[in-house]
Amino acid sequence: MTKSQRNHIDLPALVVVLTLMVMSLGVVYSASATWALEKFGESNRLLNLHALKVLLGIVALFVGMTIDYKKYRKLTKPAVIIAIAFLAFTLVLGGEVKGATRWLQFGGLSLQPSEFAKFALLFHLCSLIAVKGEAIREFKKGFLPMMIWIGSVAALVLLQPNFSTGSMIILMSLVMLFISRAKISHILATLGAALPLLVLVALTRPHVIQRINSFLYGTPGQGSNNYQLYQGIIGFGNGGLFGVGPGESVQRDFFLPESYGDFVFSIVGEEYGLVGTISFMLLFLIFMLRGFKIAKFARDEFGRLLAIGITSVVTMYSCVNAGVTLGILPTTGLPMPFVSYGGSSLLFTSFAVGVLLNISAQTDLHPRAPKVTTPSVSAPGLEDQTVKVY
Amino acid sequence: MTNQPTPPPNQPIAAGAETPRPPFNGRLLVLKLAFAAFFVIIAARLVQIQVIESSKYQERAKRQYEQKIVLPAVRGNIYDRHNNVLVSNSMFVSFAADPKLIGDDAAVVAEKFSYVFGKPRAFYLSKLRSTTSSGTPRRFVWLERRVRPEVAKRIEAAKLPGIVVLNEPKRLYHYDDVAGTLVGFTDVDNKGISGIELQFDKYLRGKNGSVIMQRDGLGRARPSVDYPRIEPRDGHHLILTIDLAYQSIVEEELKRGVERFKADAALAVMMNPKTGEILALANYPGLNPNDLGSYDIHAARNRVITDIFEPGSVFKVVTAAVAYEHQLVAPDQRFNAENGTYKVALPGGKFRLIKDSHEHAWLSFQEAIEQSSNIVMAKVSLTIGPERLYRQARDFGFGILTGIDLPGEVRGRLKKPFEWSGTTLQTLSYGYEIAATPLQIAAAYAAVANKGVLVQPYIVSRVIDASGEVIFQQSPQTIRRVISAETAELLTRAFEGVVQNGTAKDVRIYGVRIAGKTGTSRKVVDGKYGTGSYTASFAGFFPVEDPQVVCLVMIDNPRAISYYGGLTSGPIFRSIAERMINTTGRFKKIPRTTTNALQAANDISVPDVRTLPLSLAGKILEGHGLRSEKIGEGQIVVRQVPEPGKRLSRGEKVRLLLETENATTASADGTVVPDLRGMSLRRAINRLVVEDFDVKVRGSGVVIDQLPAPGTRVNPGSAIHLLCEPRPTFSAVLY
């Protein structure tokens, strides 16, 4: 393991993620204080729980950072199989929360198998693509096996029903297929086949229809469906340019339901204004740029795909979450990575970022020795050579 | 590159993974661009919401989390010149609701309100379910306003959710329709909309305070720490020049007059000629500001200043004034009164008739005024000429606002000489072709009473703030000298003659010198002088030797007994003056009667102080503005005269009969105290002396009470207290 960490990790990426986590403590505290006081009689109850989870997340991050990512290659297949088993198990035995069976209890800890499944699938897809190489362009040999994995995981998540995570898994998979130079025609054909199915699932889930309806036809503030969205937008607007100040949010006072969760970004907007929201988005942007840079320098194909995948997942989540709270996208229950109060998602995403940092440590991006020639300059040349190799 | 990853066992071609594959730059770029585009969209949206539309959302946020609770300022009181409260406030309770908070409890709330207030449930339900134009439930609706506190308690006790309870002061007019038109009234938000309430609204209303309550999404409110509580500043109090006692007398007499003469309406204005203070100002029918619903909107009009009349003969004050002022006539100068019918030649060979109501052959100028001869005035006016008559009328204030501090005053109309027709000079001389307000006429007579100096009438003498600090004090304003003191003297003599010998003999009051002038003008009906419709008036002042009061009484369209001013408004004036004189004794020393005095200003209800210790009883009475007198020895009040609930004027005496030691220790074989009540004092004393009692007398006249009570057994020789009052007499001898 020490061998693999020959060089330094990508510090900017780590700093960005840790910054987000630390800031989330303040934001979640502010957003949850009133609610916690009302519910538990102590304003910092949720903060304490969140701090614990952040701590667990940091541990997970460092664990991910220490383990050589290449070791995962042989573990991805069993991991996905376990994930599928978990999903199936949850469907049968999981606790029902808000009409969905998403959680699996481990002692005192409840975990969302879908979060685990998402990353297991991602890792496995990277592994498959890395191995298949150009064969991905062949439908039967390359594309279809991948579709089987994607299909099973996505279907099980959708069945929970967890439409948001399911959609994100599909989206993530599409990104990976796209990046791996799968034939666009294959992707489109699959989509064409899957879409009616997706619609069918959606149609059987009334809340999904409602959300889409209210997104398409609703006006903010009317009806109970997008009450949360309306209050979220009021939060943003109330913050204005510089915000009302830390801890001064009024929307958290029961106007914005679950303000510490998926809509925490609105509280950021209210308390810190445009300056705050743009700063948060810039952090995610920096993370994305660093992630793609790490991918570019990744030592092998698996690492490169993994870096792109992890970066994409984090970026997509931040964008979709912001888009939802701002009313650009239909309401889905997706957290803002590292910022929202949360458990499973925070834990797994942190671990994934750890893996990304491990990849970065194995590149020559930040050499440990002062004078080591980096291959970055010769990258184009390398590209030509390697293409020929395949 | 030193570390070689172990190839995945299931992938034979894993060796390819050892070297990085060519980056899929094209597709990666597409992905990056897609993400970048999304970041840009998010940033744009953030700018849109947080910068461009920020104020809109801030407004919405504020609306839902901030609630401004108004702390109402207490509107100032209105007092008469003797600090009697005319208008104050009582606290009422209003109920509002937050329909959103009430939600499904609407039926319960409606049921409870319906039960307490007796309105149908649907009435409240419709309010509770009302929505804004965009279809969302309202956050604030009034359910009931201005509820009496004791009724309100029944709702408050029910502890209904989402109900907002607000204390609201409501205007309380202590004397109902007394000075109702004058004082005016306020709207439901306590804003003055007529009369003094309107004119002095900015003083009276004060400034509402407020406290911003911060609400959370569950609708619970707490005072915001960001905004300080703004305390209300209570309104200032007004002290009027009005004398409540006079005002009451005037209103009662106007009402009586309207009923007696079967008139449409009547009005009166009374002022102090030296200062311009309005002592009373009344319209009948008037209005009760406590009960506006039952009144016609026109009743709110203060016709003394808003309506114009052709004054008729009362205007002769101007003609006579200018004639005396310029020494054009002497009081004893004789004129041919043409036996009541005077043909005036008009240009073009036409004639115009001027008629007098009384036919006389020859009259001195003094007699012409006393008998109100139009013919003589018309003749004199030719000597006066238009310019002088016009200027004199103008100087008296006709055609000009008096400047009284009341809303809605009109100027009337006095035509300028160049607008006059060939007959205007003559018709104007006896009060036609001019429109004047009653106040202008009263002010003109005040100038005569004030030795020729016109003063500005006013009604608010002081404005004081809640702590008693004087904010504003009106001092009497002299407008101009209108006529010389000598002319005023001559006019006064003429007007006293009107009362003594002329058209207003009904006004005479024994012992008081009154001067005045009658007026009877035909009303213009549909642009023509009708035959059956008159405005009858009397303007006068008294006592002549030092005029204290000027009063104008006008009665509109009297149809019974008479339509002449001297026979309608005159007697009303007399009744008013008579009662004023009797009430105060200020104007003439004549025997004071109990009956009239009590009627006059009996605004204090005598409290019940029986069984109380003497000291406490005295204090209570003092608190009510009454004096006390103890009768007998002892510390406990056993009886009181007058009895509780009787009405007295400020400063009058209540006699407290105390328990004597004798009464309590009376032996069974003592003498029985006879009933002396109703006896004359002389007879009572005789009776008691015969039975060997010790007589103690308080007052004189008739025995109205005694101590000990009749039938009590007392030791022989005990003291018997007799409480006496003058025998009721008629107030004035009428000629």
Side-chain angles (χ1 to χ4, degrees):
Chain A
M1 251 170 243
T2 38
K3 274 199 282 177
S4 65
Q5 281 186 322
R6 200 192 55 179
N7 288 336
H8 287 294
I9 55 153
D10 188 56
L11 216 53
L14 178 64
V15 167
V16 162
V17 170
L18 288 179
T19 307
L20 285 169
M21 283 174 160
V22 169
M23 285 166 83
S24 88
L25 291 177
V27 174
V28 166
Y29 175 54
S30 183
S32 68
T34 326
W35 191 84
L37 188 67
E38 176 69 18
K39 182 103 178 176
F40 305 111
E42 43 184 319
S43 59
N44 53 357
R45 179 67 169 267
L46 284 185
L47 170 71
N48 294 344
L49 287 170
H50 182 60
L52 186 72
K53 283 167 179 172
V54 167
L55 214 64
L56 279 174
I58 291 173
V59 170
L61 188 147
F62 278 94
V63 169
M65 210 165 83
T66 354
I67 300 170
D68 181 4
Y69 72 91
K70 294 188 212 70
K71 294 201 178 226
Y72 303 126
R73 289 191 74 161
K74 37 185 174 174
L75 297 173
T76 54
K77 196 172 182 179
V80 177
I81 290 166
I82 289 169
I84 289 171
F86 267 151
L87 284 173
F89 192 63
T90 318
L91 261 185
V92 185
L93 292 174
E96 192 151 319
V97 177
K98 287 191 214 157
T101 46
R102 297 181 187 175
W103 276 269
L104 203 60
Q105 303 281 340
F106 283 107
L109 202 69
S110 64
L111 279 177
Q112 271 184 285
S114 56
E115 287 297 320
F116 173 66
K118 179 174 72 191
F119 284 105
L121 178 66
L122 175 66
F123 278 47
H124 190 53
L125 289 180
C126 292
S127 166
L128 282 178
I129 295 163
V131 171
K132 288 191 201 293
E134 279 299 294
I136 196 89
R137 298 183 71 82
E138 290 167 44
F139 185 75
K140 257 190 176 166
K141 258 177 104 179
F143 191 79
L144 196 60
M146 306 225 319
M147 283 316 298
I148 289 166
W149 291 115
I150 296 168
S152 349
V153 173
L156 282 170
V157 172
L158 286 171
L159 275 174
Q160 280 185 335
N162 188 342
F163 202 75
S164 333
T165 310
S167 311
M168 288 309 279
I169 287 172
I170 292 168
L171 200 62
M172 175 192 82
S173 308
L174 285 175
V175 167
M176 293 321 291
L177 288 171
F178 180 71
I179 288 302
S180 65
R181 292 208 299 181
K183 275 192 172 167
I184 302 287
S185 57
H186 290 166
I187 298 174
L188 287 179
T190 318
L191 266 184
L195 211 61
L197 253 130
L198 213 61
V199 171
L200 199 71
V201 174
L203 285 177
T204 57
R205 310 286 168 222
H207 79 277
V208 175
I209 308 279
Q210 273 175 7
R211 284 179 180 181
I212 291 169
N213 261 340
S214 71
F215 173 72
L216 290 178
Y217 308 114
T219 15
Q222 283 175 32
S224 56
N225 262 327
N226 54 1
Y227 173 75
Q228 194 178 21
L229 172 64
Y230 174 64
Q231 292 296 346
I233 288 176
I234 286 182
F236 281 112
N238 193 35
L241 199 53
F242 298 106
V244 295
E248 295 294 317
S249 164
V250 286
Q251 289 299 102
R252 65 174 179 183
D253 292 347
F254 305 104
F255 289 111
L256 179 58
E258 289 180 50
S259 48
Y260 48 86
D262 299 341
F263 274 75
V264 79
F265 194 46
S266 169
I267 301 297
V268 172
E270 191 184 2
E271 296 198 343
Y272 305 96
L274 183 72
V275 175
T277 50
I278 292 289
S279 302
F280 267 74
M281 290 321 288
L282 275 179
L283 286 175
F284 283 112
L285 188 66
I286 292 168
F287 179 82
M288 182 190 94
L289 294 174
R290 291 319 298 178
F292 283 131
K293 188 127 195 163
I294 292 166
K296 191 174 178 184
F297 285 86
R299 192 147 291 256
D300 58 4
E301 181 62 11
F302 179 60
R304 148 193 221 79
L305 288 166
L306 211 48
I308 292 172
I310 291 165
T311 307
S312 298
V313 166
V314 171
T315 308
M316 278 181 335
Y317 265 70
S318 62
C319 283
V320 169
N321 178 277
V324 166
T325 52
L326 289 165
I328 308 172
L329 294 174
T331 307
T332 55
L334 293 180
M336 173 153 274
F338 312 115
V339 185
S340 289
Y341 177 88
S344 314
S345 161
L346 178 62
L347 206 63
F348 288 112
T349 312
S350 301
F351 175 77
V353 170
V355 174
L356 178 69
L357 292 173
N358 182 271
I359 298 167
S360 79
Q362 297 194 38
T363 63
D364 291 328
L365 208 50
H366 306 284
R368 197 175 281 269
K371 266 290 172 193
V372 173
T373 46
T374 57
S376 61
V377 200
S378 52
L382 253 161
E383 187 186 328
D384 289 340
Q385 286 174 7
T386 40
V387 168
K388 278 172 195 162
V389 169
Y390 279 88
Chain B
M1 300 258 179
T2 44
N3 65 319
Q4 297 286 325
T6 19
N10 59 338
Q11 298 297 338
I13 53 160
E18 286 168 21
T19 47
R21 279 183 61 195
F24 313 122
N25 274 346
R27 293 200 178 178
L28 198 56
L29 191 66
V30 170
L31 183 67
K32 284 178 183 172
L33 284 176
F35 281 145
F38 215 88
F39 272 110
V40 169
I41 291 169
I42 287 168
R45 177 74 171 157
L46 282 169
V47 169
Q48 183 201 355
I49 294 175
Q50 298 200 278
V51 180
I52 299 166
E53 295 175 358
S54 172
S55 55
K56 178 175 90 184
Y57 293 114
Q58 280 167 356
E59 177 63 30
R60 284 183 192 173
K62 218 174 171 129
R63 209 164 38 199
Q64 62 182 13
Y65 73 79
E66 271 184 16
Q67 189 185 15
K68 191 175 174 186
I69 306 262
V70 174
L71 304 171
V74 178
R75 197 171 169 85
N77 295 347
I78 301 178
Y79 299 89
D80 86 336
R81 63 185 302 119
H82 301 303
N83 293 330
N84 291 311
V85 183
L86 300 177
V87 187
S88 67
N89 306 282
S90 53
M91 275 297 172
F92 278 67
V93 180
S94 289
F95 291 96
D98 182 342
K100 192 183 171 190
L101 261 186
I102 289 175
D104 299 336
D105 292 332
V108 181
V109 172
E111 179 68 47
K112 181 72 188 168
F113 271 79
S114 170
Y115 176 72
V116 173
F117 297 107
K119 291 180 190 161
R121 287 178 57 221
F123 172 80
Y124 299 106
L125 272 180
S126 68
K127 285 184 171 222
L128 289 170
R129 295 195 173 143
S130 64
T131 54
T132 59
S133 50
S134 57
T136 51
R138 287 183 191 284
R139 299 305 303 262
F140 190 92
V141 291
W142 288 111
L143 291 180
E144 281 291 337
R145 291 194 79 175
R146 305 281 154 78
V147 179
R148 303 190 69 84
E150 63 269 21
V151 180
K153 276 203 189 95
R154 296 171 60 192
I155 288 283
E156 285 173 68
K159 290 256 183 293
L160 297 166
I163 295 291
V164 185
V165 183
L166 289 167
N167 283 327
E168 285 195 289
K170 188 190 176 197
R171 223 46 179 150
L172 186 66
Y173 299 90
H174 291 242
Y175 300 95
D176 289 331
D177 45 6
V178 175
T181 316
L182 175 65
V183 168
F185 47 88
T186 61
D187 63 11
V188 74
D189 292 314
N190 255 346
K191 188 177 179 301
I193 50 177
S194 104
I196 289 170
E197 293 272 30
L198 168 64
Q199 184 79 7
F200 290 89
D201 190 57
K202 76 173 169 161
Y203 288 115
L204 289 167
R205 70 169 170 245
K207 200 167 183 333
N208 284 345
S210 62
V211 54
I212 306 276
M213 301 294 279
Q214 218 166 53
R215 278 200 301 204
D216 62 24
L218 304 180
R220 297 171 307 192
R222 60 190 149 84
S224 167
V225 286
D226 298 335
Y227 302 92
R229 179 189 168 99
I230 300 165
E231 293 297 337
R233 181 182 62 67
D234 288 347
H236 299 319
H237 305 306
L238 299 184
I239 294 167
L240 305 185
T241 59
I242 293 292
D243 186 311
L244 177 62
Y246 297 171
Q247 179 76 26
S248 316
I249 292 171
V250 168
E251 297 201 7
E252 279 174 39
E253 294 305 328
L254 287 183
K255 177 171 188 284
R256 200 170 296 171
V258 165
E259 282 161 6
R260 180 168 167 218
F261 302 112
K262 297 202 177 1
D264 291 343
L267 59 85
V269 54
M270 185 189 292
M271 62 190 274
N272 181 331
K274 295 170 182 174
T275 59
E277 293 165 287
I278 301 287
L279 301 172
L281 192 159
N283 291 273
Y284 183 87
L287 88 169
N288 178 356
N290 285 331
D291 181 23
L292 291 172
S294 57
Y295 285 86
D296 179 12
I297 184 72
H298 294 296
R301 212 170 68 223
N302 187 353
R303 284 167 297 148
V304 171
I305 54 167
T306 61
D307 283 18
I308 51 172
F309 300 86
E310 276 187 304
S313 297
V314 287
F315 188 76
K316 286 173 186 163
V317 65
V318 177
T319 315
V322 67
Y324 282 146
E325 183 78 6
H326 296 279
Q327 286 156 0
L328 304 174
V329 295
D332 51 1
Q333 190 177 334
R334 297 192 76 76
F335 292 86
N336 181 355
E338 311 282 352
N339 280 319
T341 309
Y342 179 38
K343 261 186 173 177
V344 184
L346 291 178
K350 287 182 179 171
F351 292 94
R352 185 167 169 277
L353 284 181
I354 298 176
K355 285 192 160 187
D356 282 348
S357 48
H358 307 280
E359 293 165 18
H360 300 281
W362 287 86
L363 288 170
S364 70
F365 190 68
Q366 165 86 18
E367 286 166 340
I369 294 172
E370 288 171 3
Q371 302 303 330
S372 201
S373 167
N374 294 344
I375 293 165
V376 175
M377 289 301 145
K379 286 183 169 176
V380 171
S381 71
L382 299 176
T383 350
I384 295 168
E387 200 56 47
R388 284 195 288 212
L389 187 61
Y390 167 77
R391 200 173 299 152
Q392 189 67 73
R394 194 88 189 164
D395 281 352
F396 267 114
F398 290 99
I400 310 169
L401 294 176
T402 65
I404 190 169
D405 41 358
L406 283 173
E409 190 189 10
V410 298
R411 292 194 327 190
R413 172 122 171 91
L414 174 65
K415 286 194 280 188
K416 294 191 174 66
F418 66 83
E419 299 171 281
W420 291 9
S421 73
T423 56
T424 302
L425 177 63
Q426 289 175 329
T427 36
L428 184 63
S429 74
Y430 52 88
Y432 287 86
E433 291 196 48
I434 176 180
T437 65
L439 185 63
Q440 285 173 333
I441 298 167
Y445 277 82
V448 174
N450 191 30
K451 299 185 168 60
V453 177
L454 184 71
V455 293
Q456 183 183 322
Y458 66 96
I459 202 146
V460 171
S461 66
R462 264 176 300 152
V463 177
I464 57 174
D465 70 11
S467 60
E469 202 77 26
V470 175
I471 302 294
F472 164 81
Q473 173 127 30
Q474 177 72 53
S475 50
Q477 300 288 316
T478 298
I479 295 176
R480 69 181 80 83
R481 173 165 286 283
V482 179
I483 46 175
S484 67
E486 293 73 33
T487 304
E489 178 62 36
L490 287 173
L491 287 172
T492 303
R493 198 186 304 163
F495 293 152
E496 197 177 359
V498 172
V499 176
Q500 289 299 322
N501 316 306
T503 52
K505 285 192 210 126
D506 278 2
V507 176
R508 281 180 295 183
I509 296 176
Y510 169 71
V512 186
R513 289 173 64 195
I514 296 177
K517 182 75 195 78
T518 57
T520 310
S521 57
R522 278 173 295 169
K523 283 174 73 178
V524 178
V525 178
D526 299 329
K528 285 180 179 169
Y529 288 104
T531 44
S533 190
Y534 295 87
T535 303
S537 46
F538 181 83
F541 51 87
F542 62 91
V544 165
E545 55 274 26
D546 180 22
Q548 301 290 321
V549 172
V550 170
C551 182
L552 168 75
V553 176
M554 283 180 95
I555 184 160
D556 187 18
N557 194 20
R559 291 183 298 273
I561 302 175
S562 171
Y563 57 81
Y564 288 116
L567 300 175
T568 53
S569 292
I572 296 173
F573 179 99
R574 189 204 56 223
S575 303
I576 292 169
E578 192 180 277
R579 284 180 59 184
M580 284 170 65
I581 291 159
N582 289 333
T583 307
T584 60
R586 262 179 66 204
F587 309 106
K588 168 75 179 81
K589 296 276 177 226
I590 52 171
R592 201 173 151 199
T593 64
T594 46
T595 44
N596 274 358
L598 291 182
Q599 267 179 14
N602 44 9
D603 58 332
I604 298 170
S605 177
V606 176
D608 188 350
V609 296
R610 289 172 301 187
T611 76
L612 297 177
L614 175 64
S615 55
L616 181 58
K619 275 199 188 108
I620 290 172
L621 290 170
E622 202 179 305
H624 281 73
L626 297 169
R627 290 183 296 134
S628 57
E629 185 185 358
K630 66 168 186 156
I631 291 172
E633 288 92 50
Q635 285 306 311
I636 304 293
V637 178
V638 288
R639 264 180 291 155
Q640 62 179 89
V641 178
E643 287 170 328
K646 287 267 163 58
R647 302 191 77 86
L648 287 182
S649 295
R650 182 169 293 269
E652 286 196 89
K653 216 181 280 177
V654 176
R655 270 110 176 185
L656 305 176
L657 285 76
L658 304 172
E659 195 160 352
T660 60
E661 288 79 7
N662 286 3
T664 49
T665 59
S667 52
D669 57 349
T671 322
V672 175
V673 177
D675 188 352
L676 305 159
R677 290 173 298 186
M679 290 183 185
S680 73
L681 182 56
R682 184 186 303 269
R683 225 184 113 205
I685 291 172
N686 286 341
R687 172 85 185 271
L688 290 173
V689 168
V690 166
E691 296 193 27
D692 219 18
F693 286 106
D694 181 11
V695 186
K696 296 220 161 120
V697 179
R698 198 70 63 95
S700 66
V702 182
V703 177
I704 58 163
D705 210 339
Q706 65 182 87
L707 196 76
T712 318
R713 282 181 183 276
V714 295
N715 296 326
S718 297
I720 304 293
H721 295 265
L722 296 179
L723 181 56
C724 304
E725 282 207 339
R727 203 181 276 280
T729 54
F730 288 107
S731 58
V733 182
L734 305 181
Y735 286 77

